[in-house]
Amino acid sequence: MSETIPLIKVQILGKEYPVSCPQDEQHELLLAARYLDEKTREIRDTGRIIGTERIAVMAALNIAHELLQIKQRRID
């Protein structure tokens, strides 16, 4: 019988999202959700971007840019 993966609830911009996550990865998921929530709130609070979807896309682009910069530093 297969093991069921528990749901954990995370909040992004005040909205709750249930996410399937193995128990041993829940701490990292919560950290990632908190980081994403902080980034989306920063973007929303500037007032220059309106709409949850657009805010989410901009946050994703900013986080991807941060990741690429870190990866590039490791190569250099």
Side-chain angles (χ1 to χ4, degrees):
M1 186 179 264
S2 65
E3 225 177 282
T4 59
I5 298 176
L7 285 177
I8 185 164
K9 294 176 183 175
V10 298
Q11 287 206 4
I12 310 295
L13 284 178
K15 186 171 180 183
E16 191 170 84
Y17 297 90
V19 180
S20 294
C21 182
Q23 206 151 18
D24 62 336
E25 296 177 17
Q26 287 181 3
H27 180 71
E28 288 83 6
L29 173 64
L30 291 172
L31 290 175
R34 186 178 308 138
Y35 186 72
L36 178 57
D37 185 54
E38 289 171 7
K39 292 297 181 182
T40 55
R41 286 176 187 279
E42 286 173 12
I43 291 167
R44 182 198 61 193
D45 293 347
T46 67
R48 293 182 293 190
I49 298 179
I50 300 189
T52 305
E53 185 177 309
R54 291 174 60 107
I55 291 170
V57 169
M58 292 307 298
L61 285 171
N62 288 339
I63 293 168
H65 182 250
E66 290 173 8
L67 175 63
L68 291 173
Q69 285 181 320
I70 291 167
K71 284 183 170 186
Q72 187 61 41
R73 280 188 221 127
R74 288 185 178 172
I75 293 172
D76 292 343

